[in-house]
Amino acid sequence: MSWKLTLPCTRAEAEAIDFEGTELLSLDPSPVLLTSETIPDDPAAWQLEAYFETKPGKAETAAIRTLVPSAGKARPKVEQLPDEDWVTLSQSGIEPVHAGRFYVHTSGNRGHVPAGVKTLQIEAGRAFGTGTHETTSGCLLTLDAMRARGEVVRNLIDVGTGTGLLAFAAMHLWPTAYATASDIDPVAVEVTAENAAINGVEIGGGPGQLALAAAPGLEHELLIGRAPYDLIIANVLAGPLIDLAPSLSAALAEGGTLIVAGLLNAQAERVANAYRRHGLRLAGRTPMGDWPTLRLRKRARYGWGRTTRPGPDGSGLAPGFGSW
């Protein structure tokens, strides 16, 4: 038998959880944690589920409670589960997603695969980005539309990659491009490497391979050294997107595309304005309920002041680099 403890939380808390953090070190064995929405498109209505081999006591409950401060004095729901493979059962409730030419599923729910799609297997659990949320689906549709228009991408990065899903999708669309994925959470980078192996994506630094780094924003020598990028994907949150505007804009090549998501309709104009100040214009918008995906393009500059910076292929144009 196993036990499940459930507490309410916010999306921000769910994304900030360190699934291998010090709060859980005192628990042996450590519980398995899963987070999910309880009300679609409501960032205040999420929940944290902790699975234990034995009934959780006061110490276990207190440790889990520290992960979600908004739960306050909310009474945890503790229930005994039948002797089943509950991890597979929990993932079987995640429906596959068909977005453009992509079909995303878990190992527990492959469903009926449509003809002519690229399948990607992404497990729910330690990192975000299974394709089920509008932000991820909107990015997949935006990438698909770019490829359908014949846009060429030679050097791309997925910032805040989560599970690696968007990086894998972009690599499928532009298989000879240099590709990079990064996340502030080292666990997400580990998960991306695991998912890369599942989906046949090669890790490495060459064309058609995926380079990985754990870093806040672009604060890593690998990420700086591989710039400028002609495609940047950042599916995070509105606040971090605004904070990252100077560095992401500087890392984007002239004429390059920036795809941003993780923002609500009411936040879209403020995010777009943050990038307009750095020479980007809003080129498109993919509406997905309350969660739009924005596509921005960097305006070209000309003249003697145009600077150059080496890229992965030995050359590249990169005006306006800052101190990032």
Side-chain angles (χ1 to χ4, degrees):
M1 306 293 283
S2 58
W3 292 79
K4 180 173 73 171
L5 183 154
T6 305
L7 278 171
C9 67
T10 66
R11 180 189 177 194
E13 288 174 334
E15 291 181 333
I17 289 174
D18 182 354
F19 287 83
E20 297 180 358
T22 56
E23 298 89 346
L24 305 179
L25 291 179
S26 61
L27 305 182
D28 186 22
S30 296
V32 173
L33 304 180
L34 294 174
T35 58
S36 60
E37 292 177 301
T38 56
I39 301 176
D41 301 334
D42 185 348
W46 282 61
Q47 67 180 10
L48 169 64
E49 296 173 325
Y51 292 84
F52 295 85
E53 292 182 1
T54 59
K55 184 177 182 179
K58 291 183 178 180
E60 290 79 10
T61 301
I64 298 302
R65 195 182 289 278
T66 63
L67 302 174
V68 288
S70 69
K73 296 183 179 180
R75 185 175 181 178
K77 180 181 179 182
V78 179
E79 54 189 314
Q80 191 173 21
L81 303 177
D83 191 12
E84 296 179 296
D85 185 353
W86 47 263
V87 172
T88 299
L89 289 174
S90 68
Q91 294 188 356
S92 68
I94 299 176
E95 292 298 321
V97 172
H98 187 190
R101 71 188 73 193
F102 298 105
Y103 185 82
V104 187
H105 63 90
T106 66
S107 59
N109 193 355
R110 182 177 173 85
H112 177 70
V113 180
V117 299
K118 169 62 177 178
T119 60
L120 292 168
Q121 179 178 318
I122 304 294
E123 303 303 333
R126 294 195 296 159
F128 283 81
T130 59
T132 58
H133 197 275
E134 287 90 339
T135 57
T136 312
S137 297
C139 288
L140 291 172
L141 290 171
T142 302
L143 290 167
D144 187 43
M146 285 179 59
R147 184 65 181 85
R149 288 191 299 270
E151 296 191 33
V152 176
V153 172
R154 297 184 176 87
N155 188 21
L156 65 93
I157 184 171
D158 179 14
V159 178
T161 192
T163 61
L165 169 59
L166 296 178
F168 303 158
M171 292 176 72
H172 171 72
L173 297 174
W174 296 283
T176 61
Y178 289 87
T180 311
S182 68
D183 201 286
I184 193 172
D185 184 0
V187 172
V189 177
E190 294 175 5
V191 170
T192 296
E194 294 168 3
N195 287 333
I198 292 171
N199 290 280
V201 175
E202 185 178 356
I203 301 299
Q209 299 176 324
L210 182 63
L212 297 174
L218 295 175
E219 296 179 16
H220 192 287
E221 60 182 5
L222 172 69
L223 310 183
I224 296 172
R226 291 173 72 89
Y229 303 96
D230 44 19
L231 172 62
I232 299 177
I233 309 162
N235 179 15
V236 285
L237 292 170
L241 284 174
I242 292 172
D243 293 339
L244 288 168
S247 59
L248 293 186
S249 300
L252 188 62
E254 289 188 357
T257 297
L258 170 66
I259 296 174
V260 296
L263 52 127
L264 293 163
N265 283 319
Q267 300 168 324
E269 188 62 24
R270 191 156 57 96
V271 172
N273 282 338
Y275 287 89
R276 288 191 185 101
R277 300 187 191 103
H278 297 278
L280 277 68
R281 64 177 178 85
L282 183 61
R285 178 172 178 150
T286 303
M288 295 292 292
D290 293 328
W291 301 88
T293 297
L294 306 183
R295 179 172 57 87
L296 302 108
R297 296 292 296 270
K298 187 168 184 177
R299 302 177 188 276
R301 303 179 194 174
Y302 301 93
W304 66 270
R306 192 175 191 184
T307 59
T308 62
R309 184 184 184 95
D313 60 353
S315 64
L317 298 173
F321 273 79
S323 60
W324 54 269

